[in-house]
Amino acid sequence: MSAGTYTPRPGAAPLPRMIAAQTALETRMLLRNGEQLLLTVIIPTLLLVLFSAVDIVDTGSGASVDFQAPGILALAVMSTAFTGQAIATGFERRYGVLKRLGASPLPRWALMTAKTLSVLVTEVLQIVLLTVIAFALGWSPHGNPLAVLLLLVLGTAAFSGLGLLMAGTLKAEATLAAANLVFLLLLVGGGVIVPLDKFPDAVQSVLGLLPVSALSEGLRDVLQHGASMPWAQAGILAVWAVLGLGAAAKFFRWE
């Protein structure tokens, strides 16, 4: 046995390994949280089944599920990247978890990267589940998969930035209330379930600028109508992503 076989090697692990370990931890914590599962899985699934199987909302010609499925996918992104992340991060900040993690060998930017990767992993699981259910309900999507992927990534970036901005500037209780309120308001008025053309003309243009509206309408343009790339909606999401992430990076408070 050579000398030094059991010599300790103090120091931080390689950065990619630390990010991967933190991502796995964040994902496990999210999936074990009952409230988070309600937001990210149960509510979108119930809404998809209910509004696709029962003719509650007039969605125009074609099968109802063809209209509802893209909107529910947008809702799933919002529930995870915005509502769930804002609430979880807000309470981690309140209890001092972020402060302690910020003092660890894991850089603060790497911690936020791990949180974002955890959101992406959760979204993949959500999208797979909702897609399987939508197919069972008779969904027949078409369009460019790369356009769908780009819209989902831009939507995730936009909602993640807004969620972190809220979690890093408001108290945890205020974040809990505000995030849930925004979720409900955007669910009703963001074109997720009810078409935007059902709203008064005076507010349609304003509602169309919301990130969830842009994501919903963009996904419908591709998956329902076969558009190659809805650049207008992608541009709106890109602007929200830049503004949200930029504001979160500037104003986020760790304590």
Side-chain angles (χ1 to χ4, degrees):
M1 182 180 297
S2 59
T5 300
Y6 297 104
T7 302
R9 297 180 59 188
L15 186 58
R17 189 187 304 171
M18 288 193 292
I19 294 176
Q22 187 65 30
T23 299
L25 175 63
E26 297 281 348
T27 304
R28 288 196 300 272
M29 290 173 59
L30 191 151
L31 295 177
R32 290 174 181 174
N33 189 312
E35 294 178 359
Q36 296 280 23
L37 287 178
L38 177 66
L39 270 175
T40 59
V41 177
I42 298 175
I43 290 179
T45 299
L46 290 177
L47 291 174
L48 175 61
V49 173
L50 175 63
F51 285 92
S52 297
V54 182
D55 190 14
I56 300 175
V57 178
D58 181 11
T59 57
S61 59
S64 180
V65 68
D66 290 336
F67 175 88
Q68 297 295 350
I72 296 300
L73 290 178
L75 179 68
V77 171
M78 181 179 72
S79 67
T80 301
F82 172 71
T83 312
Q85 184 169 219
I87 294 172
T89 306
F91 278 95
E92 285 178 355
R93 175 170 161 254
R94 174 189 174 182
Y95 295 137
V97 175
L98 293 183
K99 180 181 178 181
R100 289 172 173 80
L101 287 174
S104 71
L106 182 68
R108 291 183 174 183
W109 68 264
L111 173 60
M112 292 307 175
T113 299
K115 286 184 172 294
T116 302
L117 291 175
S118 173
V119 165
L120 291 174
V121 171
T122 305
E123 286 180 359
V124 169
L125 298 176
Q126 285 178 289
I127 291 170
V128 170
L129 174 63
L130 292 172
T131 299
V132 170
I133 295 173
F135 276 129
L137 293 169
W139 187 33
S140 55
H142 39 269
N144 185 358
L146 293 179
V148 173
L149 178 61
L150 177 60
L151 289 169
L152 291 174
V153 169
L154 288 174
T156 299
F159 285 119
S160 185
L162 295 172
L164 291 174
L165 175 63
M166 181 179 289
T169 54
L170 301 179
K171 292 184 177 180
E173 293 80 4
T175 298
L176 175 63
N180 282 314
L181 177 61
V182 170
F183 177 84
L184 291 175
L185 291 176
L186 293 183
L187 170 62
V188 175
V192 174
I193 293 175
V194 181
L196 289 180
D197 58 18
K198 301 298 181 182
F199 293 91
D201 294 339
V203 300
Q204 284 185 30
S205 57
V206 176
L207 293 178
L209 296 176
L210 297 174
V212 71
S213 302
L215 183 55
S216 298
E217 293 301 309
L219 290 175
R220 287 193 187 100
D221 284 346
V222 177
L223 295 172
Q224 186 177 10
H225 305 299
S228 58
M229 183 66 218
W231 292 109
Q233 285 77 16
I236 292 172
L237 290 172
V239 170
W240 278 106
V242 171
L243 293 177
L245 292 172
K250 182 176 182 179
F251 298 110
F252 192 95
R253 299 194 304 268
W254 291 79
E255 301 181 21

